Amino acid sequence: MKVSIPKEILADEHRVAATPKTVAKMVKAGISVVVESGAGLESCITDEEFHQAGAEIAVNVESLLNEADVVLKVQPPGLNESTGTHELDMFQKGATLIGVLQPLINHDLVTKLAERRITAFSLDCLPRIARAQAMDVLSSMSTLAGYKSVLLAANALRSVLPMLTTAAGTLYPAQTLIIGAGVAGLQAVATAKRLGSVVKVFDVRPVVKEQVESLGAEFIDMDVDQQQAEDAGGYAKEQSVDVQQKAHELIGQHIKQADIVITTALIPGKKAPILINEEMVQTMKIGSVIVDLAAEQGGNCELSEPGKQIIQHGVTLIGLVNLPSSLAVHGSLMYANNLANFLLHVYDDQQIAVNLEDEITRQTIITHQGEVLHSGVQEVLGLGKTAETS
Amino acid sequence: MSENLLIEPAYLIAAVLFILGIRDLSSAETARRGNLLASIGMFLAIVGTLLHADIIGYQWIIVGMIIGSIVGAVMAIFMPMTAMPERIAIVNGLGGAASFLVGISEYYRQSAEFFLNHQFKMGVVGFEVLLGGLTFTGSMIAFFKLKGLISGTPVTYQGQNAVNIAWLVLMLAIIGYLIIVPTTPVLFYVMMVMAVMFGVMFVLPIGGADMPVVIAMLNAYSGLAAAATGFVLSNNVLIIAGALDGSSGFFLSILMCRAMNRSIGNVLFGAVGQSVAAPGISGGGDDGQPQSISVTEAAGMLLGAQSVIIVPGYGMAAAGAHFAVRELADLLKSRGTSVKYAIHPVAGRMPGHMNVLLADANVPYDELVEMDDVNPEFPETDVALVMGANDICNPVARDSAGTPIDGMPIIDADKAKSVIVIKRSMSPGFAGIPNKLFVAPNTYMLFGDGKLMAEQLAETLNL
Amino acid sequence: MNTFAISTVVLAVEAGAEQTAEPQSLLAAFYIFVLASFLGYQLIIRVPPLLHTPLMSGTNAISGISLVGSLVAAGADFPLVCNILGFIAVVCSMCNVVGGFMITDRMLKMFKAASPHDKAKK
């Protein structure tokens, strides 16, 4: 079985879907691996290193994709400017694609995958079970995003983060407000604490209070009933109107003293909730910074713009996207590991086994042999078929 | 009669020594001295008694004391560190047996008229036998449970608490009756048998893990029995020592329950009506009951270890125990013990959770070992110290199928020679299932707050 | 300070009590019992979990005071049955006393033996 790893064509994507370590792992399992020349350069991996690990290096991307049984990617397939062809059109019909496809949003992509009879697995749909933890890309990438967000904020802030009492005066610590205590939020808490900032955290789920406090930060209590706040997978749900109102008030209260605000609130498959409106930004201190990690999904702040760093009302709004890509060395390391673990899970004797009894396969498979199998996607596309997915 | 003049001062000094002894036992620096003082007090009490005018025949006494001393010394010397509660259980039972027998002896030798004229004495003899008897058999059952000769699983049946209470009331009623009408020896002997049975009935429904609390309670009862004997014999040192023992034992058991985060009512009567044994987890221990130890015993195990691997989990984070853990590790290292930390990839509630905390506590990075590298070392490791970790070291993930954690790789802590688990209670972890590690035969549970336990272990090692 | 005040009272009462006058000594005995119980409470209420086991073992040894009663039963001019019961009781409570104090001492000695001072010499 041949697995190919092309160079990512999206301009700001510096990661690659394999590392020499994962290549060696795949080769050991009897898979032959081909990597496009230069694919790993922006992650500091040379062709030579891939080759040493057992991969073949391909120069021509068309033949690379054409001959592949399985293609591993970071970004969803798109239009390759240099050849003028869509990546998917270069795939063999019936090949397998594994990556993060965001199928609930990328409708056209899903349709095209079905047309090309591609067996597509999207790792952002993994079930949150213990066995799948080693494949959890969302967790890996959120960790990096959370970490990086603090560095970006600290860099944009014109003060230091920790408290320093010096002969030249006392520098008071920066106040950081983190909204959303998921993986990204918690990592941001840890990073901000390490840099010496005073950290407060807001989240609608009462269960994270203990987790936040275990990292030494203060939790802003909301008095919300646990049932309302969390869904079965532990993600925050959309809240009722009066809960949203209360959240607004509390955030508005605390945001006035914040030097750094990092927002991480996402709702799977839907637009991100607006938690900071223009009015609230106007009450913030001049020189303070907001890092909006949800910018790409609509943003938690009304004023942030995806992909940009701007200043409004004296406040720096950072809406930069794809933060894991800026940490390409570890981004690729973690992503490649997640991918390889998944691949080896569905790999069986020179083939990809599509076993719908297996919860992991069932939840991540988007299309197969021309049909859309993912129930969530079916709903969104209005296909109305019933499948065995939960 | 000059002998009697010596007795009272001897008893007085003995009582003082008991009081000072217990006070000293309450503090780490003076504990050993306290034990010594109390033993000197006991010696004086014995000497004083031997001088008592009533005693005329020494042959039984001498032979008895010699046999008793030898047996007692043997038990004390040939005893492994982890069998402490068992030994305490036996000797406590024997103390109760002594009161029991003395009570019978008293009843037997006095005529009915005597008791008619000394009703208080009758009552006290009754209590002596009641308390002594139940302490004796209760302690023996505790011993058997701890040793694993009887299943540690609570033996319960519907309405058990009601039956036990009724039994107790009946015995008290008999004593009451005997006070008024002392001429029915049959009733006395009936109560005697009932007391012996009651000890069994009272302790059977209590889980094996709670035996230390039971022993503290039974200790209190044997103290009360001794006090009762004191009332019967009009002997003040018996009353004082017995009362000291009784109340300190009683409050000690309450303290121990608090440290386990449970009420004493729950410990003594709580098992009735509940199934305590974890369903579906068989094998492990002798019957699926966890073995609980105290800080003292845990410290002993750590002291004797050449190699220790610490397995941190979310519990350590929640307790804020990481600084105390590092101090404990430093103490162990200063004694030449090798210390490592086994970091599971998903320990905690976020990636790198353990790393953040341990780095904060200044644990050098090179002491943190990842799962695949550290697992092969467990079989050669003396003690695995599990700090608030649960699912990530649950052998069920490795050995059984069909659980929420099926297929998740774990830290093989169960393969260490001994395992100490520091945890607040037996509550399940994130996955909500019971942990087979906790009921394994080489695992010892140290119940308490993680930070407090780590600090106290460090303090003990520092002694 | 509290503890000492109580101890003094207890001992004063005991010293004042006579061994044989019944109603008076009964009342005094009762006072002693109550005060000693209270004293016991004061002494151990602040014991840290660290010392629960040695304390349990120590007070257990003290409950071997039942030996005193056993000695009387075994050695006084009582019927043979009583002497024999007393003999068994002496054996039992002697175990309790000797075993109890030795076990407690072993427990506490363990820490002394492994002090950093000694280990450093190895």
Side-chain angles (χ1 to χ4, degrees):
Chain A
M1 188 176 85
K2 212 177 207 174
V3 167
S4 297
I5 293 106
K7 185 168 156 58
E8 294 295 318
I9 52 178
L10 190 65
D12 295 320
E13 186 50 73
H14 307 298
R15 293 169 292 174
V16 63
T19 56
K21 188 163 157 223
T22 62
V23 166
K25 224 169 155 183
M26 290 187 273
V27 165
K28 193 165 166 207
I31 301 173
S32 76
V33 181
V34 189
V35 177
E36 187 175 344
S37 173
L41 284 180
E42 281 163 32
S43 299
C44 307
I45 308 174
T46 61
D47 286 350
E48 183 53 34
E49 283 170 307
F50 274 127
H51 186 59
Q52 293 265 358
E56 216 189 285
I57 307 296
V59 175
N60 185 309
V61 67
E62 276 186 46
S63 55
L64 170 79
L65 293 175
N66 193 247
E67 289 163 26
D69 295 306
V70 179
V71 179
L72 303 180
K73 279 189 62 62
V74 178
Q75 293 288 342
L79 182 61
N80 185 329
E81 308 276 311
S82 60
T83 61
T85 344
H86 194 283
E87 280 179 304
L88 275 182
D89 291 327
M90 294 188 262
F91 277 41
Q92 240 182 69
K93 272 207 172 190
T96 301
L97 167 68
I98 308 178
V100 172
L101 307 173
Q102 295 198 303
L104 295 172
I105 305 174
N106 296 328
H107 304 171
D108 292 337
L109 177 66
V110 175
T111 316
K112 202 172 169 70
L113 284 167
E115 268 171 35
R116 302 281 304 161
R117 299 184 69 84
I118 306 290
T119 304
F121 293 98
S122 186
L123 294 187
D124 54 341
C125 301
L126 272 170
R128 293 196 100 201
I129 58 179
R131 268 185 306 142
Q133 278 169 323
M135 308 167 200
D136 189 352
V137 284
L138 291 181
S139 185
S140 310
M141 298 303 112
S142 297
T143 301
L144 297 177
Y147 164 85
K148 187 77 182 205
S149 67
V150 175
L151 299 188
L152 290 173
N155 203 33
L157 196 65
R158 290 165 220 198
S159 0
V160 304
L161 264 60
M163 178 164 185
L164 295 173
T165 306
T166 77
T170 301
L171 310 179
Y172 286 96
Q175 302 285 330
T176 300
L177 173 64
I178 306 221
I179 302 180
V183 179
L186 288 177
Q187 196 65 232
V189 170
T191 311
K193 281 293 294 181
R194 285 201 246 220
L195 285 175
S197 171
V198 172
V199 182
K200 292 198 187 149
V201 181
F202 176 85
D203 193 305
V204 291
R205 299 165 299 158
V207 71
V208 303
K209 176 171 191 261
E210 198 185 49
Q211 300 172 20
V212 164
E213 287 173 354
S214 80
L215 290 168
E218 190 191 315
F219 184 74
I220 300 172
D221 246 309
M222 231 194 109
D223 292 328
V224 169
D225 179 346
Q226 180 55 33
Q227 304 291 70
Q228 283 181 272
E230 204 174 66
D231 70 9
Y235 291 106
K237 290 198 301 209
E238 253 188 299
Q239 296 302 310
S240 69
V241 176
D242 39 61
V243 171
Q244 285 188 27
Q245 177 71 354
K246 186 134 188 242
H248 231 79
E249 270 168 41
L250 275 174
I251 295 178
Q253 221 182 310
H254 289 268
I255 213 171
K256 292 183 197 152
Q257 302 106 31
D259 297 289
I260 297 177
V261 180
I262 301 182
T263 68
T264 68
L266 289 172
I267 304 175
K270 304 207 170 137
K271 190 165 176 301
I274 301 285
L275 299 171
I276 305 175
N277 56 24
E278 180 154 12
E279 255 173 55
M280 286 156 85
V281 177
Q282 287 172 314
T283 65
M284 288 177 72
K285 299 198 287 197
I286 295 183
S288 56
V289 179
I290 298 181
V291 180
D292 191 341
L293 288 180
E296 225 177 347
Q297 277 85 5
N300 293 135
C301 176
E302 235 176 13
L303 301 178
S304 62
E305 289 177 29
K308 299 212 183 109
Q309 181 163 329
I310 57 177
I311 301 186
Q312 293 249 5
H313 305 294
V315 176
T316 306
L317 300 156
I318 302 179
L320 300 177
V321 298
N322 204 357
L323 294 183
S325 171
S326 68
L327 290 165
V329 171
H330 282 150
S332 298
L333 187 155
M334 292 172 94
Y335 188 84
N337 275 336
N338 289 139
L339 218 50
N341 288 334
F342 181 85
L343 173 63
L344 291 174
H345 176 74
V346 293
Y347 171 69
D348 185 32
D349 192 32
Q350 296 298 324
Q351 281 194 45
I352 298 295
V354 176
N355 174 12
L356 293 174
E357 301 278 304
D358 169 44
E359 201 181 343
I360 292 177
T361 310
R362 202 168 61 229
Q363 301 258 33
T364 53
I365 194 165
I366 310 300
T367 60
H368 182 55
Q369 292 174 343
E371 293 191 3
V372 175
L373 291 186
H374 192 276
S375 62
V377 180
Q378 284 173 357
E379 255 182 70
V380 155
L381 293 180
L383 290 176
K385 279 190 208 155
T386 47
E388 314 92 280
T389 32
S390 54
Chain B
M1 295 307 106
S2 62
E3 295 141 330
N4 276 349
L5 281 179
L6 283 179
I7 294 173
E8 283 307 318
Y11 279 175
L12 190 57
I13 298 175
V16 168
L17 288 172
F18 287 147
I19 292 172
L20 291 178
I22 293 185
R23 189 202 59 181
D24 281 349
L25 268 173
S26 321
S27 144
E29 293 100 56
T30 53
R32 209 154 166 236
R33 182 181 77 191
N35 191 39
L36 186 60
L37 288 178
S39 55
I40 295 176
M42 184 64 75
F43 177 71
L44 279 176
I46 294 174
V47 167
T49 310
L50 288 174
L51 293 176
H52 197 288
D54 282 353
I55 295 185
I56 53 161
Y58 288 92
Q59 63 278 34
W60 292 114
I61 289 178
I62 292 179
V63 175
M65 282 178 71
I66 292 178
I67 298 180
S69 304
I70 294 178
V71 175
V74 161
M75 277 201 273
I77 295 175
F78 296 102
M79 165 204 90
M81 229 29 230
T82 44
M84 258 188 280
E86 290 150 339
R87 295 297 168 251
I88 298 176
I90 300 191
V91 299
N92 188 50
L94 291 176
S99 289
F100 179 69
L101 293 170
V102 172
I104 297 176
S105 157
E106 273 304 288
Y107 183 76
Y108 178 81
R109 89 179 169 94
Q110 301 288 21
S111 63
E113 291 138 47
F114 176 82
F115 285 124
L116 212 50
N117 295 329
H118 299 87
Q119 295 180 314
F120 179 73
K121 284 256 165 94
M122 178 71 243
V124 189
V125 165
F127 274 109
E128 199 187 334
V129 170
L130 168 60
L131 290 167
L134 91 86
T135 304
F136 172 55
T137 45
S139 300
M140 288 304 138
I141 297 291
F143 171 72
F144 289 135
K145 281 206 178 201
L146 282 169
K147 209 88 178 114
L149 295 172
I150 296 187
S151 151
T153 318
V155 176
T156 63
Y157 55 86
Q158 275 283 23
Q160 180 172 29
N161 283 336
V163 170
N164 283 351
I165 292 177
W167 198 264
L168 182 61
V169 168
L170 188 55
M171 288 191 287
L172 292 174
I174 293 181
I175 294 178
Y177 184 76
L178 282 170
I179 290 179
I180 305 172
V181 188
T183 50
T184 33
V186 169
L187 273 183
F188 181 84
Y189 295 118
V190 164
M191 187 211 65
M192 193 182 92
V193 172
M194 283 178 78
V196 167
M197 289 174 64
F198 187 66
V200 176
M201 292 161 60
F202 180 63
V203 179
L204 273 183
I206 302 174
D210 296 331
M211 283 301 109
V213 175
V214 171
I215 294 171
M217 287 281 329
L218 291 173
N219 193 9
Y221 292 149
S222 68
L224 288 178
T229 313
F231 277 110
V232 171
L233 301 178
S234 300
N235 186 313
N236 290 322
V237 77
L238 266 173
I239 297 176
I240 293 182
L244 275 178
D245 201 30
S247 76
S248 60
F250 179 64
F251 290 110
L252 189 56
S253 37
I254 293 185
L255 278 183
M256 288 168 86
C257 286
R258 242 192 250 164
M260 289 198 298
N261 246 332
R262 293 164 61 188
S263 77
I264 192 157
N266 177 258
V267 171
L268 297 178
F269 310 114
V272 177
Q274 289 176 30
S275 67
V276 173
I281 297 218
S282 54
D286 40 358
D287 53 10
Q289 286 295 310
Q291 305 170 86
S292 92
I293 58 173
S294 67
V295 174
T296 319
E297 295 157 272
M301 288 169 71
L302 287 172
L303 275 169
Q306 299 276 51
S307 52
V308 172
I309 297 184
I310 301 178
V311 185
Y314 179 60
M316 182 187 83
H322 40 296
F323 293 99
V325 170
R326 204 254 315 162
E327 270 181 50
L328 178 59
D330 283 347
L331 280 166
L332 287 171
K333 285 192 290 184
S334 74
R335 292 157 182 276
T337 309
S338 93
V339 178
K340 290 186 194 175
Y341 297 77
I343 312 293
H344 189 279
V346 295
R349 293 287 181 274
M350 77 169 194
H353 201 162
M354 298 299 112
N355 302 83
V356 171
L357 299 172
L358 293 173
D360 208 12
N362 259 322
V363 173
Y365 280 146
D366 58 8
E367 285 175 18
L368 307 182
V369 192
E370 64 174 55
M371 179 176 67
D372 291 333
D373 293 335
V374 81
N375 269 346
E377 294 186 26
F378 277 105
E380 297 305 307
T381 302
D382 290 319
V383 175
L385 179 61
V386 177
M387 283 293 307
N390 197 329
D391 297 330
I392 58 167
C393 52
N394 188 345
V396 161
R398 189 186 59 208
D399 307 332
S400 322
T403 64
I405 55 176
D406 184 10
M408 179 178 88
I410 55 156
I411 300 275
D412 293 335
D414 59 322
K415 299 204 174 147
K417 294 184 192 160
S418 301
V419 181
I420 299 177
V421 178
I422 299 184
K423 213 175 168 301
R424 274 176 304 183
S425 66
M426 286 298 284
S427 61
F430 196 66
I433 58 173
N435 191 328
K436 198 164 141 195
L437 174 67
F438 299 163
V439 297
N442 60 333
T443 298
Y444 303 92
M445 306 293 294
L446 176 56
F447 288 114
D449 169 70
K451 182 164 168 228
L452 191 61
M453 291 299 107
E455 284 169 352
Q456 298 205 334
L457 281 172
E459 200 189 309
T460 317
L461 292 182
N462 235 340
L463 274 178
Chain C
M1 296 310 107
N2 211 343
T3 341
F4 280 108
I6 298 173
S7 337
T8 325
V9 175
V10 172
L11 297 170
V13 174
E14 194 228 328
E18 281 173 33
Q19 191 105 0
T20 48
E22 285 284 347
Q24 187 184 359
S25 83
L26 211 53
L27 191 59
F30 199 65
Y31 271 126
I32 293 172
F33 178 76
V34 170
L35 287 171
S37 302
F38 191 56
L39 186 55
Y41 169 77
Q42 285 292 330
L43 287 174
I44 62 103
I45 203 65
R46 273 175 290 274
V47 171
L50 171 65
L51 288 165
H52 284 171
T53 309
L55 193 59
M56 194 161 69
S57 182
T59 50
N60 173 256
I62 292 177
S63 74
I65 194 68
S66 55
L67 176 60
V68 166
S70 321
L71 289 174
V72 173
D77 184 19
F78 294 160
L80 188 61
V81 172
C82 297
N83 285 146
I84 293 183
L85 287 176
F87 165 70
I88 302 176
V90 166
V91 173
C92 289
S93 48
M94 204 61 197
C95 271
N96 190 352
V97 167
V98 172
F101 281 121
M102 284 182 72
I103 289 174
T104 311
D105 189 61
R106 262 199 78 188
M107 234 186 272
L108 295 169
K109 190 158 63 181
M110 165 183 83
F111 305 130
K112 201 88 204 299
S115 73
H117 182 64
D118 294 342
K119 266 272 179 107
K121 282 185 186 165
K122 283 193 191 164

